[in-house]
Amino acid sequence: MFISTTTIRVRYGETDQMGYLYYGNYALYYEVGRAEAIRELGFTYKELEEQGVMMPVAELNVKYYRPAYYDNLITVKTILKEMPKSSRIQFHSELYNEKGELLNVGVTTLVFIGVDTRQKAGLPDALKERLEPFFV
């Protein structure tokens, strides 16, 4: 299993009239978590694209438990629970407030596709090599 954590402070412009983090912005927090997780593995999205692979989102599932509020410092935990075996990769996201309370969980499924072909592709070899030690 691979786990990455990062923090994000809820900005005023991300909240609704009640001061809650607007529900649609949780997906943006997941994306920050994914980008930082990939960075921890030694890549950026841009570098993967330069290697010929794009990763569009194919599915997003979200469950809300508690609200996040303006100025809260949110911990985004991004988890790969299994080694990708096909053209799909699933990122599990957990968001926590400063008290360590679970606020939200989500699962984002992305698909590897070729930049030139726009067709499904397999897990890039370089990414596979970086992930393998976490799934031995």
Side-chain angles (χ1 to χ4, degrees), residues 33-66:
R34 286 194 311 274
E36 292 304 315
I38 290 170
R39 189 178 303 279
E40 282 183 33
L41 291 168
F43 301 97
T44 64
Y45 272 118
K46 182 179 179 182
E47 290 169 338
L48 287 172
E49 289 173 355
E50 288 169 353
Q51 294 175 21
V53 177
M54 293 189 295
M55 297 169 56
V57 173
E59 185 175 339
L60 174 64
N61 293 289
V62 181
K63 187 163 185 176
Y64 303 91
Y65 296 106
R66 293 176 180 84

mmCIF file of all heavy atoms in Angstrom, residues 33-66:
data_model
loop_
_atom_site.group_PDB
_atom_site.id
_atom_site.type_symbol
_atom_site.label_atom_id
_atom_site.label_comp_id
_atom_site.label_asym_id
_atom_site.label_seq_id
_atom_site.Cartn_x
_atom_site.Cartn_y
_atom_site.Cartn_z
ATOM 1 N N GLY A 33 -4.005 16.055 -3.715
ATOM 2 C CA GLY A 33 -3.438 14.869 -3.072
ATOM 3 C C GLY A 33 -2.814 13.911 -4.075
ATOM 4 O O GLY A 33 -1.713 13.392 -3.848
ATOM 5 N N ARG A 34 -3.506 13.678 -5.197
ATOM 6 C CA ARG A 34 -2.961 12.790 -6.242
ATOM 7 C C ARG A 34 -1.680 13.350 -6.832
ATOM 8 O O ARG A 34 -0.700 12.630 -7.010
ATOM 9 C CB ARG A 34 -3.973 12.590 -7.374
ATOM 10 C CG ARG A 34 -5.115 11.711 -7.039
ATOM 11 C CD ARG A 34 -5.895 11.283 -8.282
ATOM 12 N NE ARG A 34 -6.272 12.332 -9.187
ATOM 13 C CZ ARG A 34 -7.360 13.077 -9.094
ATOM 14 N NH1 ARG A 34 -8.201 12.904 -8.088
ATOM 15 N NH2 ARG A 34 -7.630 14.004 -9.994
ATOM 16 N N ALA A 35 -1.691 14.635 -7.144
ATOM 17 C CA ALA A 35 -0.507 15.254 -7.744
ATOM 18 C C ALA A 35 0.686 15.169 -6.800
ATOM 19 O O ALA A 35 1.807 14.880 -7.236
ATOM 20 C CB ALA A 35 -0.805 16.706 -8.116
ATOM 21 N N GLU A 36 0.466 15.397 -5.517
ATOM 22 C CA GLU A 36 1.556 15.322 -4.545
ATOM 23 C C GLU A 36 2.005 13.877 -4.349
ATOM 24 O O GLU A 36 3.202 13.619 -4.161
ATOM 25 C CB GLU A 36 1.148 15.956 -3.221
ATOM 26 C CG GLU A 36 0.967 17.462 -3.310
ATOM 27 C CD GLU A 36 2.199 18.182 -3.841
ATOM 28 O OE1 GLU A 36 3.333 17.883 -3.410
ATOM 29 O OE2 GLU A 36 2.025 19.057 -4.718
ATOM 30 N N ALA A 37 1.075 12.927 -4.386
ATOM 31 C CA ALA A 37 1.448 11.511 -4.273
ATOM 32 C C ALA A 37 2.335 11.103 -5.441
ATOM 33 O O ALA A 37 3.370 10.446 -5.255
ATOM 34 C CB ALA A 37 0.194 10.637 -4.225
ATOM 35 N N ILE A 38 1.957 11.509 -6.643
ATOM 36 C CA ILE A 38 2.751 11.187 -7.826
ATOM 37 C C ILE A 38 4.119 11.868 -7.735
ATOM 38 O O ILE A 38 5.145 11.288 -8.083
ATOM 39 C CB ILE A 38 1.990 11.567 -9.110
ATOM 40 C CG1 ILE A 38 0.808 10.599 -9.298
ATOM 41 C CG2 ILE A 38 2.898 11.530 -10.339
ATOM 42 C CD1 ILE A 38 -0.150 10.988 -10.384
ATOM 43 N N ARG A 39 4.145 13.086 -7.202
ATOM 44 C CA ARG A 39 5.409 13.800 -7.017
ATOM 45 C C ARG A 39 6.312 13.041 -6.034
ATOM 46 O O ARG A 39 7.523 12.932 -6.236
ATOM 47 C CB ARG A 39 5.135 15.214 -6.519
ATOM 48 C CG ARG A 39 6.356 16.114 -6.489
ATOM 49 C CD ARG A 39 6.000 17.525 -6.023
ATOM 50 N NE ARG A 39 4.973 18.158 -6.827
ATOM 51 C CZ ARG A 39 5.180 18.758 -8.006
ATOM 52 N NH1 ARG A 39 6.387 18.783 -8.512
ATOM 53 N NH2 ARG A 39 4.189 19.317 -8.654
ATOM 54 N N GLU A 40 5.722 12.493 -4.961
ATOM 55 C CA GLU A 40 6.502 11.708 -3.994
ATOM 56 C C GLU A 40 7.113 10.476 -4.647
ATOM 57 O O GLU A 40 8.146 9.981 -4.199
ATOM 58 C CB GLU A 40 5.638 11.283 -2.809
ATOM 59 C CG GLU A 40 5.399 12.379 -1.816
ATOM 60 C CD GLU A 40 4.594 11.912 -0.616
ATOM 61 O OE1 GLU A 40 4.728 10.736 -0.206
ATOM 62 O OE2 GLU A 40 3.831 12.733 -0.076
ATOM 63 N N LEU A 41 6.473 9.974 -5.687
ATOM 64 C CA LEU A 41 6.995 8.820 -6.414
ATOM 65 C C LEU A 41 8.062 9.216 -7.428
ATOM 66 O O LEU A 41 8.639 8.366 -8.092
ATOM 67 C CB LEU A 41 5.857 8.075 -7.116
ATOM 68 C CG LEU A 41 4.882 7.356 -6.192
ATOM 69 C CD1 LEU A 41 3.646 6.910 -6.960
ATOM 70 C CD2 LEU A 41 5.563 6.175 -5.508
ATOM 71 N N GLY A 42 8.307 10.514 -7.564
ATOM 72 C CA GLY A 42 9.380 10.982 -8.422
ATOM 73 C C GLY A 42 8.936 11.483 -9.777
ATOM 74 O O GLY A 42 9.760 11.643 -10.682
ATOM 75 N N PHE A 43 7.643 11.741 -9.942
ATOM 76 C CA PHE A 43 7.111 12.207 -11.217
ATOM 77 C C PHE A 43 6.238 13.431 -10.996
ATOM 78 O O PHE A 43 5.874 13.753 -9.876
ATOM 79 C CB PHE A 43 6.215 11.141 -11.876
ATOM 80 C CG PHE A 43 6.895 9.854 -12.157
ATOM 81 C CD1 PHE A 43 6.782 8.795 -11.280
ATOM 82 C CD2 PHE A 43 7.647 9.684 -13.305
ATOM 83 C CE1 PHE A 43 7.410 7.590 -11.534
ATOM 84 C CE2 PHE A 43 8.275 8.491 -13.567
ATOM 85 C CZ PHE A 43 8.163 7.434 -12.682
ATOM 86 N N THR A 44 5.861 14.063 -12.094
ATOM 87 C CA THR A 44 4.765 15.023 -12.098
ATOM 88 C C THR A 44 3.808 14.576 -13.188
ATOM 89 O O THR A 44 4.180 13.779 -14.066
ATOM 90 C CB THR A 44 5.247 16.463 -12.405
ATOM 91 O OG1 THR A 44 5.775 16.495 -13.739
ATOM 92 C CG2 THR A 44 6.291 16.933 -11.406
ATOM 93 N N TYR A 45 2.591 15.070 -13.155
ATOM 94 C CA TYR A 45 1.656 14.774 -14.241
ATOM 95 C C TYR A 45 2.264 15.189 -15.579
ATOM 96 O O TYR A 45 2.159 14.489 -16.572
ATOM 97 C CB TYR A 45 0.327 15.509 -14.047
ATOM 98 C CG TYR A 45 -0.695 14.771 -13.215
ATOM 99 C CD1 TYR A 45 -1.153 15.298 -12.025
ATOM 100 C CD2 TYR A 45 -1.226 13.569 -13.653
ATOM 101 C CE1 TYR A 45 -2.112 14.644 -11.262
ATOM 102 C CE2 TYR A 45 -2.178 12.907 -12.901
ATOM 103 C CZ TYR A 45 -2.622 13.441 -11.710
ATOM 104 O OH TYR A 45 -3.560 12.781 -10.981
ATOM 105 N N LYS A 46 2.901 16.345 -15.590
ATOM 106 C CA LYS A 46 3.501 16.858 -16.829
ATOM 107 C C LYS A 46 4.541 15.883 -17.368
ATOM 108 O O LYS A 46 4.587 15.610 -18.570
ATOM 109 C CB LYS A 46 4.116 18.232 -16.579
ATOM 110 C CG LYS A 46 4.716 18.856 -17.808
ATOM 111 C CD LYS A 46 5.283 20.229 -17.522
ATOM 112 C CE LYS A 46 5.887 20.803 -18.790
ATOM 113 N NZ LYS A 46 6.482 22.093 -18.591
ATOM 114 N N GLU A 47 5.382 15.351 -16.482
ATOM 115 C CA GLU A 47 6.412 14.401 -16.921
ATOM 116 C C GLU A 47 5.797 13.111 -17.466
ATOM 117 O O GLU A 47 6.280 12.557 -18.456
ATOM 118 C CB GLU A 47 7.376 14.093 -15.777
ATOM 119 C CG GLU A 47 8.269 15.254 -15.429
ATOM 120 C CD GLU A 47 9.032 15.069 -14.134
ATOM 121 O OE1 GLU A 47 8.612 14.255 -13.276
ATOM 122 O OE2 GLU A 47 10.055 15.749 -13.979
ATOM 123 N N LEU A 48 4.722 12.648 -16.842
ATOM 124 C CA LEU A 48 4.048 11.453 -17.360
ATOM 125 C C LEU A 48 3.488 11.723 -18.760
ATOM 126 O O LEU A 48 3.586 10.882 -19.651
ATOM 127 C CB LEU A 48 2.940 10.993 -16.416
ATOM 128 C CG LEU A 48 3.418 10.332 -15.119
ATOM 129 C CD1 LEU A 48 2.245 10.094 -14.183
ATOM 130 C CD2 LEU A 48 4.152 9.030 -15.404
ATOM 131 N N GLU A 49 2.920 12.923 -18.939
ATOM 132 C CA GLU A 49 2.403 13.281 -20.257
ATOM 133 C C GLU A 49 3.526 13.381 -21.284
ATOM 134 O O GLU A 49 3.360 12.954 -22.426
ATOM 135 C CB GLU A 49 1.612 14.585 -20.176
ATOM 136 C CG GLU A 49 0.299 14.425 -19.447
ATOM 137 C CD GLU A 49 -0.431 15.726 -19.199
ATOM 138 O OE1 GLU A 49 0.117 16.812 -19.502
ATOM 139 O OE2 GLU A 49 -1.566 15.659 -18.690
ATOM 140 N N GLU A 50 4.678 13.906 -20.869
ATOM 141 C CA GLU A 50 5.831 13.975 -21.767
ATOM 142 C C GLU A 50 6.332 12.582 -22.145
ATOM 143 O O GLU A 50 6.928 12.399 -23.201
ATOM 144 C CB GLU A 50 6.959 14.790 -21.124
ATOM 145 C CG GLU A 50 6.656 16.270 -21.062
ATOM 146 C CD GLU A 50 7.638 17.054 -20.208
ATOM 147 O OE1 GLU A 50 8.496 16.442 -19.534
ATOM 148 O OE2 GLU A 50 7.531 18.298 -20.204
ATOM 149 N N GLN A 51 6.064 11.598 -21.271
ATOM 150 C CA GLN A 51 6.426 10.202 -21.555
ATOM 151 C C GLN A 51 5.344 9.494 -22.368
ATOM 152 O O GLN A 51 5.455 8.304 -22.642
ATOM 153 C CB GLN A 51 6.697 9.442 -20.257
ATOM 154 C CG GLN A 51 7.907 9.939 -19.509
ATOM 155 C CD GLN A 51 8.095 9.246 -18.173
ATOM 156 O OE1 GLN A 51 7.599 8.157 -17.932
ATOM 157 N NE2 GLN A 51 8.829 9.891 -17.285
ATOM 158 N N GLY A 52 4.274 10.237 -22.720
ATOM 159 C CA GLY A 52 3.254 9.690 -23.600
ATOM 160 C C GLY A 52 2.002 9.151 -22.930
ATOM 161 O O GLY A 52 1.205 8.466 -23.565
ATOM 162 N N VAL A 53 1.791 9.474 -21.651
ATOM 163 C CA VAL A 53 0.640 8.939 -20.919
ATOM 164 C C VAL A 53 -0.162 10.067 -20.275
ATOM 165 O O VAL A 53 0.397 10.930 -19.603
ATOM 166 C CB VAL A 53 1.092 7.957 -19.812
ATOM 167 C CG1 VAL A 53 -0.092 7.452 -19.016
ATOM 168 C CG2 VAL A 53 1.855 6.800 -20.408
ATOM 169 N N MET A 54 -1.479 10.043 -20.494
ATOM 170 C CA MET A 54 -2.394 10.952 -19.798
ATOM 171 C C MET A 54 -3.264 10.129 -18.856
ATOM 172 O O MET A 54 -3.396 8.917 -19.032
ATOM 173 C CB MET A 54 -3.282 11.703 -20.789
ATOM 174 C CG MET A 54 -2.526 12.667 -21.675
ATOM 175 S SD MET A 54 -3.597 13.737 -22.679
ATOM 176 C CE MET A 54 -4.399 12.548 -23.736
ATOM 177 N N MET A 55 -3.841 10.793 -17.859
ATOM 178 C CA MET A 55 -4.635 10.089 -16.858
ATOM 179 C C MET A 55 -5.948 10.825 -16.589
ATOM 180 O O MET A 55 -6.117 11.454 -15.546
ATOM 181 C CB MET A 55 -3.830 9.945 -15.562
ATOM 182 C CG MET A 55 -2.574 9.117 -15.703
ATOM 183 S SD MET A 55 -1.472 9.220 -14.269
ATOM 184 C CE MET A 55 -2.524 8.727 -12.928
ATOM 185 N N PRO A 56 -6.934 10.732 -17.481
ATOM 186 C CA PRO A 56 -8.209 11.387 -17.209
ATOM 187 C C PRO A 56 -9.013 10.620 -16.146
ATOM 188 O O PRO A 56 -8.847 9.410 -15.974
ATOM 189 C CB PRO A 56 -8.920 11.341 -18.560
ATOM 190 C CG PRO A 56 -8.337 10.158 -19.246
ATOM 191 C CD PRO A 56 -6.905 10.086 -18.789
ATOM 192 N N VAL A 57 -9.858 11.356 -15.450
ATOM 193 C CA VAL A 57 -10.738 10.748 -14.452
ATOM 194 C C VAL A 57 -11.875 10.029 -15.156
ATOM 195 O O VAL A 57 -12.531 10.592 -16.034
ATOM 196 C CB VAL A 57 -11.290 11.818 -13.486
ATOM 197 C CG1 VAL A 57 -12.334 11.236 -12.553
ATOM 198 C CG2 VAL A 57 -10.155 12.459 -12.695
ATOM 199 N N ALA A 58 -12.112 8.784 -14.752
ATOM 200 C CA ALA A 58 -13.199 7.982 -15.317
ATOM 201 C C ALA A 58 -14.373 7.858 -14.350
ATOM 202 O O ALA A 58 -15.512 7.683 -14.775
ATOM 203 C CB ALA A 58 -12.687 6.581 -15.678
ATOM 204 N N GLU A 59 -14.076 7.974 -13.046
ATOM 205 C CA GLU A 59 -15.147 7.804 -12.057
ATOM 206 C C GLU A 59 -14.739 8.489 -10.761
ATOM 207 O O GLU A 59 -13.557 8.507 -10.400
ATOM 208 C CB GLU A 59 -15.365 6.313 -11.795
ATOM 209 C CG GLU A 59 -16.522 5.990 -10.893
ATOM 210 C CD GLU A 59 -16.759 4.491 -10.773
ATOM 211 O OE1 GLU A 59 -16.313 3.725 -11.647
ATOM 212 O OE2 GLU A 59 -17.386 4.096 -9.783
ATOM 213 N N LEU A 60 -15.736 9.056 -10.067
ATOM 214 C CA LEU A 60 -15.497 9.710 -8.784
ATOM 215 C C LEU A 60 -16.644 9.362 -7.845
ATOM 216 O O LEU A 60 -17.813 9.549 -8.195
ATOM 217 C CB LEU A 60 -15.409 11.230 -8.958
ATOM 218 C CG LEU A 60 -15.314 12.062 -7.682
ATOM 219 C CD1 LEU A 60 -14.027 11.764 -6.926
ATOM 220 C CD2 LEU A 60 -15.410 13.541 -8.005
ATOM 221 N N ASN A 61 -16.300 8.836 -6.681
ATOM 222 C CA ASN A 61 -17.289 8.536 -5.642
ATOM 223 C C ASN A 61 -16.899 9.304 -4.391
ATOM 224 O O ASN A 61 -15.724 9.313 -4.006
ATOM 225 C CB ASN A 61 -17.317 7.039 -5.333
ATOM 226 C CG ASN A 61 -17.833 6.249 -6.500
ATOM 227 O OD1 ASN A 61 -19.007 6.303 -6.803
ATOM 228 N ND2 ASN A 61 -16.944 5.534 -7.188
ATOM 229 N N VAL A 62 -17.876 9.943 -3.754
ATOM 230 C CA VAL A 62 -17.611 10.813 -2.609
ATOM 231 C C VAL A 62 -18.612 10.515 -1.501
ATOM 232 O O VAL A 62 -19.797 10.281 -1.758
ATOM 233 C CB VAL A 62 -17.761 12.303 -3.015
ATOM 234 C CG1 VAL A 62 -17.461 13.211 -1.836
ATOM 235 C CG2 VAL A 62 -16.874 12.640 -4.191
ATOM 236 N N LYS A 63 -18.122 10.556 -0.256
ATOM 237 C CA LYS A 63 -19.008 10.440 0.901
ATOM 238 C C LYS A 63 -18.598 11.510 1.912
ATOM 239 O O LYS A 63 -17.428 11.627 2.274
ATOM 240 C CB LYS A 63 -18.917 9.063 1.539
ATOM 241 C CG LYS A 63 -19.941 8.878 2.632
ATOM 242 C CD LYS A 63 -20.133 7.431 2.988
ATOM 243 C CE LYS A 63 -21.266 7.335 3.991
ATOM 244 N NZ LYS A 63 -21.563 5.962 4.314
ATOM 245 N N TYR A 64 -19.578 12.300 2.351
ATOM 246 C CA TYR A 64 -19.345 13.411 3.277
ATOM 247 C C TYR A 64 -19.787 13.001 4.680
ATOM 248 O O TYR A 64 -20.893 12.485 4.858
ATOM 249 C CB TYR A 64 -20.154 14.640 2.844
ATOM 250 C CG TYR A 64 -19.840 15.088 1.436
ATOM 251 C CD1 TYR A 64 -20.564 14.605 0.354
ATOM 252 C CD2 TYR A 64 -18.817 15.988 1.190
ATOM 253 C CE1 TYR A 64 -20.276 15.009 -0.933
ATOM 254 C CE2 TYR A 64 -18.522 16.403 -0.098
ATOM 255 C CZ TYR A 64 -19.259 15.905 -1.149
ATOM 256 O OH TYR A 64 -18.967 16.309 -2.430
ATOM 257 N N TYR A 65 -18.923 13.248 5.681
ATOM 258 C CA TYR A 65 -19.250 12.941 7.075
ATOM 259 C C TYR A 65 -19.441 14.201 7.908
ATOM 260 O O TYR A 65 -20.393 14.313 8.661
ATOM 261 C CB TYR A 65 -18.143 12.094 7.715
ATOM 262 C CG TYR A 65 -17.991 10.744 7.070
ATOM 263 C CD1 TYR A 65 -16.923 10.472 6.234
ATOM 264 C CD2 TYR A 65 -18.931 9.739 7.285
ATOM 265 C CE1 TYR A 65 -16.778 9.226 5.642
ATOM 266 C CE2 TYR A 65 -18.797 8.493 6.687
ATOM 267 C CZ TYR A 65 -17.717 8.245 5.870
ATOM 268 O OH TYR A 65 -17.579 7.027 5.271
ATOM 269 N N ARG A 66 -18.492 15.135 7.787
ATOM 270 C CA ARG A 66 -18.523 16.398 8.520
ATOM 271 C C ARG A 66 -18.075 17.501 7.571
ATOM 272 O O ARG A 66 -17.296 17.247 6.669
ATOM 273 C CB ARG A 66 -17.529 16.379 9.681
ATOM 274 C CG ARG A 66 -17.830 15.433 10.779
ATOM 275 C CD ARG A 66 -16.683 15.479 11.818
ATOM 276 N NE ARG A 66 -16.939 14.582 12.909
ATOM 277 C CZ ARG A 66 -16.662 13.280 12.894
ATOM 278 N NH1 ARG A 66 -16.084 12.736 11.850
ATOM 279 N NH2 ARG A 66 -16.938 12.532 13.934
#
